[in-house]
């Protein structure tokens, strides 16, 4: 969550203006930064908050986020009915816990857990928490192996591409792990096997492979990475597990690329996480984390709570949270089934491929990806286009309500600025055509009115949110 600071003394008594139609007292005051002395009628409070929120962007036009922005009315009704149920209270809400158990089993089969095995998993508040749990299991397993061998365990490291989501940077900082980033270079925009293996040693707790980079939507080659680590083990003896961050791809690859080996079919994959609230098609926030078998999740991390007179093993960083998202995830599984999910994701990819192809035809753009992995693609201006930047274009599209992020790539491609479009369920071909028309129009405006670019230190601050 973002951190907020206390306002200064001069702003503490700022007040919100209330429409006189809703004022029920002669001297009604609604302070911004402190509790009002008196309450308000429900309709008055509702109108005040609604008026504040009209400045937010239209979620359906937000092409920056991977997070679900549309669900069916029936799903919304179900979530409203379950909002008061606390997921952590397994004794009071046993059937909500049962739905979570069913979801874990559905995902274990979707991700090809070993037949007859005991894949273990749970729901989380999202992929960020799931990544933290997966990383902790890697750390605990590595430390136990080192201690059992009588070796020091004070300098763990984690290998990953510089394109990882910020949650992995947080994990390394919070648990004092050395992050070993593989930088991006022209022609290689994500982690590959040789580069991953080259950074591993006896202190490497694991390698993170991303199934759907937030930078460009591409999959990292999990099987290739695993095979490189196989060779490393045979040559140097370092047994390095793989965690697959399938925040987005975990709900896409099984339906659009079913023959791609990225999941538990790859023996070195110890754990997988995914976001139910991304291509799992649920509103924020629900994520999932699964381990290949109980051995991949150290027992020392598991807490056992009383559950219907017995013990329920739990592993989480958060405690109380609503059961609504888990119920909605199960609703989607029942509602869509395998064929329904395949149809939804294929439709998204069809829109992405058509839109990226049309954008490539406009003229000033160069595609970096097309949307053939995730229905996500990135593009940049040709090197000879200097009259304006992708940041100028992003700002002009926002004038029409479109939220299309512009940002620079991480090391060693920080001089490359791109735009990225995420196609989600609910973004129709008609909306894509409207976006395309506005994009063409804004390009024409910028070509006829060259922009004066700010200095580099200011330009860097124009970067939009890219995750």
């Amino acid at each position: 969550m973002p951190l907020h600071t206390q306002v200064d003394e001069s702003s503490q008594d700022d007040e919100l203006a209330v429409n006189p139609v809703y004022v029920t007292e002669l001297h009604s005051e609604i302070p911004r930064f402190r509790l009002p002395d008196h309450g308000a009628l429900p309709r008055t409070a509702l109108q005040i908050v609604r008026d504040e929120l009209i400045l937010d962007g239209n979620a359906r036009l937000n092409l920056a986020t991977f997070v679900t922005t549309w669900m069916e009315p029936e799903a919304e009704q179900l979530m409203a009915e379950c909002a008061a149920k606390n997921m952590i209270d397994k004794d009071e809400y046993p059937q909500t816990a049962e739905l979570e158990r069913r979801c874990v089993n559905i995902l274990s089969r979707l991700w090809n857990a070993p037949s007859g095995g005991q894949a273990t998993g749970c729901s989380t508040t999202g992929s960020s928490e799931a990544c933290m749990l997966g990383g902790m299991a890697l750390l605990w397993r590595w430390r136990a192996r080192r201690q059992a061998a009588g070796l020091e365990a004070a300098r763990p490291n984690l290998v990953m591409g510089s394109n990882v989501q910020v949650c992995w940077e947080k994990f390394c900082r919070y648990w004092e792990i050395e992050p070993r980033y593989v930088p991006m270079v022209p022609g290689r925009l994500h982690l590959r096997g040789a580069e991953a293996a080259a950074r591993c040693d006896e202190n490497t707790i694991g390698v993170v492979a991303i199934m759907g980079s937030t930078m460009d939507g591409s999959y990292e080659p999990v099987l290739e990475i695993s095979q490189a680590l196989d060779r490393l083990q045979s040559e140097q003896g370092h047994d390095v597990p793989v965690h697959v961050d399938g925040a987005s791809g975990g709900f896409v690859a099984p339906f659009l690329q079913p023959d791609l080996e990225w999941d538990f079919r790859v023996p070195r994959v110890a754990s997988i996480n995914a976001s139910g609230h991304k291509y799992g098609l649920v509103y924020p926030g629900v994520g999932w984390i699964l381990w290949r078998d109980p051995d991949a999740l150290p027992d020392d991390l598991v807490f056992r709570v009383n559950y219907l007179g017995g013990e329920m093993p739990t592993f989480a960083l958060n405690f109380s949270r609503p059961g609504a998202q888990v119920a909605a995830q199960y609703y989607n599984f029942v509602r869509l089934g395998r064929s329904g999910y395949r149809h939804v994701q294929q439709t998204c990819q069809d829109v992405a491929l058509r839109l990226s192809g049309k954008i490539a035809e406009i003229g000033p753009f160069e595609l970096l990806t097309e949307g053939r992995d995730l229905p996500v693609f990135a593009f940049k201006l040709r090197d000879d286009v200097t009259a304006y930047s992708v940041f100028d274009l992003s700002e002009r599209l926002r004038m029409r309500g479109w939220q299309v992020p512009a940002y620079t790539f991480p090391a060693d491609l920080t001089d490359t600025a791109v735009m990225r479009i995420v196609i989600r369920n609910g973004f129709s071909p008609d909306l894509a055509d409207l976006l395309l028309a506005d994009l063409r129009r804004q390009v024409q405006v910028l070509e006829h009115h060259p922009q004066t670019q700010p200095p580099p230190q200011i330009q860097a601050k124009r970067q939009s949110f890219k995750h």
Side-chain angles (χ1 to χ4, degrees), residues 190-208:
H190 56 226
L191 188 65
R192 301 298 297 266
E195 289 75 19
R199 283 165 174 77
C200 293
D201 58 26
E202 63 181 5
N203 291 317
T204 302
I205 67 173
V207 171
V208 176

Side-chain angles (χ1 to χ4, degrees), residues 385 387-388 396 440-451:
V385 178
Y388 56 95
R396 291 202 62 85
R440 291 191 178 109
R441 188 176 301 113
Q442 299 309 327
V443 165
Q444 290 180 339
V445 171
L446 290 169
E447 287 177 345
H448 285 82
H449 299 280
Q451 304 295 296

Side-chain angles (χ1 to χ4, degrees), residues 220-234:
E220 293 185 336
V222 177
L223 182 59
E224 175 191 308
I225 292 170
S226 177
Q227 290 171 340
L229 295 176
D230 290 342
R231 291 190 292 271
L232 177 71
Q233 183 176 3
S234 66

Side-chain angles (χ1 to χ4, degrees), residues 313-366:
T314 66
F315 182 26
L317 296 180
N318 292 282
F319 201 70
S320 294
R321 57 187 174 92
Q325 284 81 1
V326 168
Q329 185 73 82
Y330 187 67
Y331 166 89
N332 276 344
F333 288 158
V334 172
R335 166 74 174 88
L336 295 172
R338 185 178 289 270
S339 63
Y341 264 97
R342 183 184 300 112
H343 181 61
V344 168
Q345 312 302 30
Q346 186 63 64
T347 299
C348 289
Q349 188 170 69
D350 291 345
V351 172
L353 290 171
R354 180 177 178 276
L355 184 57
S356 66
K358 293 293 185 181
I359 288 175
E361 295 173 0
I362 292 178
F365 300 119
E366 177 184 332

